[in-house]
């Protein structure tokens, strides 16, 4: 058996009640390791330790936190290649993307190291003579962070770093199918001197570990990224405990291509947005809304480029798209390919792909002649599949783009300043891209959506302070 990788609770590595296998989706014969599954009792132990450790942690002040985050950032950068290797091996993202994601995690820690020193407040004149008012920010307390499998380094980083920067204690529950990257990050955070109890890693299934975390009375806030179904469930439980809540969920992100678009920009933007990272991005362009005049030329070029993409093992330097993350996800994707045909689409690509190893390889797919009412244009697939909807003009394109339960990211390819501006103002989405893929964002600005995609304050950038702190208003009378 390979070494067992344990949970980090109150500064100790502990075994939980059983081990689960972590296997490589590019090659099922490759056993990455065994990872400990935490129990509800482990969550309780971690929550108590976190709560007890908070006063001393907060008393150390912002400089100690800034320096810790900076050390963590440097170490992540130093180990970017090996952590990226683990990420590619367990999640299936191609190696260059995986290493870039790890470097992104380092940038995020570095950014929040700076933010720790910039926690601002207000001094406001009182309406009463002799009274001073101060508005300050304080940590929320013990925060529960629940993350999905598709960005195993960046998403934990963009939750853990602001949580620590603003003086909170963390219980991190990574997705159970990608524990390896989170375990490497946890080791770094621990080794760089994060005090016992302030950062805890609790691996295992959502139904046990995630649920115990959401229900624990000492956990004051939950930040979750994942599917809408899980998000709804968490919202109900968190409401019961009156917890502060931040939910980042799915998308069905539209990319509009107008007649005046430059195909040299539109085709690569859609190819990247729809299919890179195997389409397993919440911001993936899964609805391509294309004006009639450019439709045929655009579709011909995109289909050609899509079919030329090399699907293969994540660690093979010639691969451009890695495998789907799991057999369940692959089955779901293939069901959607069949559904697209049943709903009347012309399907290009989409079946299983041959690989040199036994992995979950799928050819990317375009669903042509889709209508926005079809399930394949309304439901998040979370695989390398994009529906193409033909529209007559800009107004119809905007209406179709907005006709969705989701509102995470949206894009438009156009040469018209007027249309670009009207789209930026008219689209109901948290992030808008003009002549850029819907996926691919900066790390120092807010990230999040509207409608069914998000709930609660934004993540990332300076806006993260809203979630990870609470505001105190102090009145004093000097006599
Ligand atoms: P998921 O909802 O299945 O799981 C997410 C996390 O929740 C995992 O850690 C899981 O173990 C945990 N969980 C499951 N049941 C739980 C419960 N009852 N209580 C508490 N926690 C529980 O999502 P996934 O399959 O890991 O990720 C894919 C989804 O994530 C997609 O819908 C995608 O759009 C979304 N996503 C959103 C963003 C964003 O920022 N908006 C980013 C990445 C992924």
């Amino acid at each position: 058996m390979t070494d067992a990788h344990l949970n980090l609770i109150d500064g100790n590595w502990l075994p939980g009640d059983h081990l689960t296998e972590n296997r490589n989706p590019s090659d099922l014969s490759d056993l990455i390791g065994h990872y400990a599954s935490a129990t509800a009792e482990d969550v309780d132990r971690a929550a108590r330790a976190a709560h007890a450790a908070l006063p001393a942690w907060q008393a150390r002040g912002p400089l100690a936190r800034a320096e810790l985050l900076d050390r963590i950032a440097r170490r992540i950068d130093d180990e970017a290649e090996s952590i990226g290797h683990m990420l590619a091996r367990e999640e299936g993202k191609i190696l260059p993307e995986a290493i870039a994601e790890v470097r992104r995690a380092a940038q995020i820690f570095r950014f929040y190291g700076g933010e720790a020193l910039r926690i601002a407040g207000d001094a406001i004149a009182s309406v009463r003579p002799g009274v001073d008012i101060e508005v300050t920010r304080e940590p929320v307390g013990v925060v529960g962070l629940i993350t999905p499998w598709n960005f195993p380094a960046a998403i934990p980083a963009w939750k853990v770093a602001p949580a620590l920067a603003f003086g909170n204690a963390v219980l991190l529950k990574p997705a159970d199918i990608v524990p390896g990257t989170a375990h490497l990050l946890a080791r770094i955070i621990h080794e760089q001197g994060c005090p016992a109890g302030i950062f805890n890693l609790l691996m295992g299934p959502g139904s046990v570990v995630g649920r115990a975390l959401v229900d624990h009375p000492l956990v004051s806030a939950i930040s979750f990224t994942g599917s809408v179904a899980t998000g709804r469930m968490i919202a109900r439980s968190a409401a019961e405990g009156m917890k502060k809540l931040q939910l980042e969920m799915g998308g069905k992100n539209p990319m509009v291509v107008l007649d005046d678009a430059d195909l040299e920009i539109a085709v690569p933007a859609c190819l990247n947005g729809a299919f890179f990272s195997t389409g397993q991005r919440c911001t993936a362009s899964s609805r391509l809304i294309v004006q009639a005049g450019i439709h045929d030329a655009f579709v011909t070029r995109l289909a050609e480029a899509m079919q030329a993409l090399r699907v293969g093992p994540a660690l093979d330097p010639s691969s451009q798209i890695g495998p789907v993350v799991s057999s369940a996800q692959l089955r779901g994707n293939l069901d959607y390919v069949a559904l697209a045909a049943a709903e009347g689409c012309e399907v290009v690509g989409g079946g299983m792909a041959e690989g040199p190893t036994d992995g979950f390889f799928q050819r990317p797919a375009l669903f042509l002649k889709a209508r926005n009412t079809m399930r394949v244009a309304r439901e998040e697939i979370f695989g390398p599949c994009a529906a193409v909807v033909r529209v007559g003009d800009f107004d119809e394109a905007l209406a179709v783009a907005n006709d969705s339960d989701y509102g995470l990211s949206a894009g438009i390819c156009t040469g018209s300043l007027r249309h670009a501006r009207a789209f930026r103002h008219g689209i109901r989405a948290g992030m808008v891209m003009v002549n850029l893929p819907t996926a691919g964002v900066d790390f120092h600005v807010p990230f999040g959506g509207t409608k069914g995609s998000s709930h609660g304050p934004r993540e990332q950038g300076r806006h993260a302070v809203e979630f990870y702190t609470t505001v105190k208003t102090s009145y004093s009378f000097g006599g």
Side-chain angles (χ1 to χ4, degrees):
M1 192 199 271
T2 54
D3 287 348
H5 298 84
L6 308 182
N7 292 301
L8 179 63
I9 299 171
D10 197 13
N12 301 304
W13 296 101
L14 299 176
D17 69 348
H18 67 278
L19 296 173
T20 53
E21 274 187 7
N22 185 5
R23 278 195 188 268
N24 179 347
S26 299
D27 176 2
L28 298 178
S29 69
D30 177 23
L31 175 60
I32 297 168
H34 291 89
Y35 289 79
S37 262
T39 61
E41 291 70 40
D42 289 329
V43 173
D44 180 53
R45 194 185 309 186
R48 286 172 193 277
H51 189 253
L54 268 174
W57 173 233
Q58 287 165 6
R60 283 174 69 173
L63 183 59
R65 303 199 292 264
E67 288 175 347
L68 171 67
L69 294 190
D70 202 50
R71 287 197 302 276
I72 294 170
R74 255 184 284 144
R75 180 58 81 88
I76 294 173
D77 254 340
D78 289 347
E79 297 188 21
E81 304 257 327
S82 58
I83 304 173
H85 194 271
M86 164 64 84
L87 199 166
R89 199 169 155 213
E90 72 174 351
E91 197 269 351
K93 192 169 286 191
I94 56 171
L95 186 60
E97 283 181 17
I99 293 173
E101 183 186 330
V102 175
R103 294 210 182 279
R104 165 69 55 111
Q107 288 165 332
I108 291 168
F109 273 96
R110 195 168 296 115
F111 174 83
Y112 284 108
E115 287 302 284
L117 296 170
R118 280 191 286 268
I119 305 178
D122 289 316
I124 297 179
S126 169
V127 295
R128 287 172 282 174
V131 173
D132 293 326
I133 304 179
E134 245 181 33
V135 181
T136 51
R137 287 192 177 274
E138 297 190 342
V140 187
V142 179
V143 297
L145 310 179
I146 302 176
T147 56
W149 49 260
N150 66 328
F151 283 95
I155 296 182
W158 81 50
K159 294 184 193 294
V160 172
L164 295 179
F166 300 133
N168 300 284
V170 168
L171 310 186
L172 171 65
K173 193 218 104 43
D176 32 338
I177 56 174
V178 292
T181 308
H183 195 272
L184 292 176
L185 292 178
R187 178 181 48 74
I188 288 177
I189 294 169
H190 179 59
E191 287 175 358
Q192 292 311 308
C194 190
I198 291 302
F199 174 83
N200 302 274
L201 175 73
L202 296 153
M203 300 176 289
S207 54
V208 177
V209 183
R211 178 169 296 185
L213 218 152
V214 173
D215 289 343
H216 201 286
L218 290 177
V219 174
S220 308
I222 296 286
S223 177
F224 163 84
T225 300
S227 64
V228 173
T230 311
R232 280 219 178 92
M233 219 151 47
I234 288 177
R236 279 193 286 269
S237 313
E240 195 61 42
M242 292 291 191
K243 294 185 196 318
K244 192 169 185 182
L245 193 59
Q246 178 179 58
L247 304 175
E248 285 300 338
M249 298 168 287
K252 193 72 186 177
N253 309 289
M255 172 57 112
V256 169
V257 180
L258 294 184
D259 282 352
D260 62 10
D262 181 345
L263 285 177
E264 298 296 324
I265 292 175
V267 172
C270 292
L271 189 74
N272 173 325
F275 305 119
F276 284 17
S277 304
T278 322
Q280 298 176 149
R281 293 186 285 188
C282 52
T283 46
S285 318
S286 45
R287 289 187 298 147
L288 308 178
I289 300 166
V290 187
Q291 200 174 355
I294 201 169
H295 179 276
D296 291 357
F298 168 79
V299 161
T300 305
R301 285 184 51 174
L302 180 62
E304 244 174 57
M306 177 192 83
Q307 286 172 310
L309 288 171
R310 290 184 301 276
V311 180
L315 296 175
D316 180 338
S318 69
S319 300
Q320 291 172 292
I321 295 189
V324 172
V325 73
S326 66
S327 63
Q329 188 68 41
L330 177 62
R331 248 193 333 273
N333 294 353
L334 296 175
D335 286 349
Y336 274 111
V337 173
L339 177 66
E343 286 189 303
C345 293
E346 185 185 310
V347 177
V348 182
M352 284 185 67
E354 276 293 306
T357 43
D358 182 16
F360 305 125
F361 302 110
Q362 183 190 353
R363 285 184 289 122
L366 275 176
F367 305 152
L368 305 181
K369 300 185 178 154
R371 287 189 311 280
N372 203 50
T373 48
M374 292 175 175
R375 281 182 55 201
V376 291
R378 303 205 75 81
E379 297 172 11
E380 183 185 51
I381 299 173
F382 218 57
C385 307
V388 181
V389 180
R390 184 196 291 255
V391 291
D393 57 17
F394 172 79
D395 290 341
E396 189 188 353
L398 180 60
V400 168
N402 273 331
D403 179 15
S404 171
D405 295 336
Y406 295 106
L408 188 56
S409 180
I412 187 166
C413 289
T414 178
S416 152
L417 200 54
R418 186 165 63 86
H419 284 141
R421 183 171 192 280
F423 189 78
R424 281 197 290 114
H425 287 270
I427 192 72
R428 289 185 60 211
M431 296 171 289
V432 194
M433 313 290 179
V434 176
N435 293 323
L436 288 166
T438 56
V441 295
D442 283 14
F443 63 87
H444 63 308
V445 289
F447 178 97
T450 58
K451 299 194 273 184
S453 292
S454 299
H455 175 87
R458 283 281 184 270
E459 298 205 88
Q460 299 203 63
R462 289 170 58 195
H463 284 65
V465 78
E466 297 295 337
F467 180 73
Y468 290 103
T469 62
T470 180
V471 165
K472 178 178 280 176
T473 311
S474 314
Y475 296 82
S476 27
F477 179 58

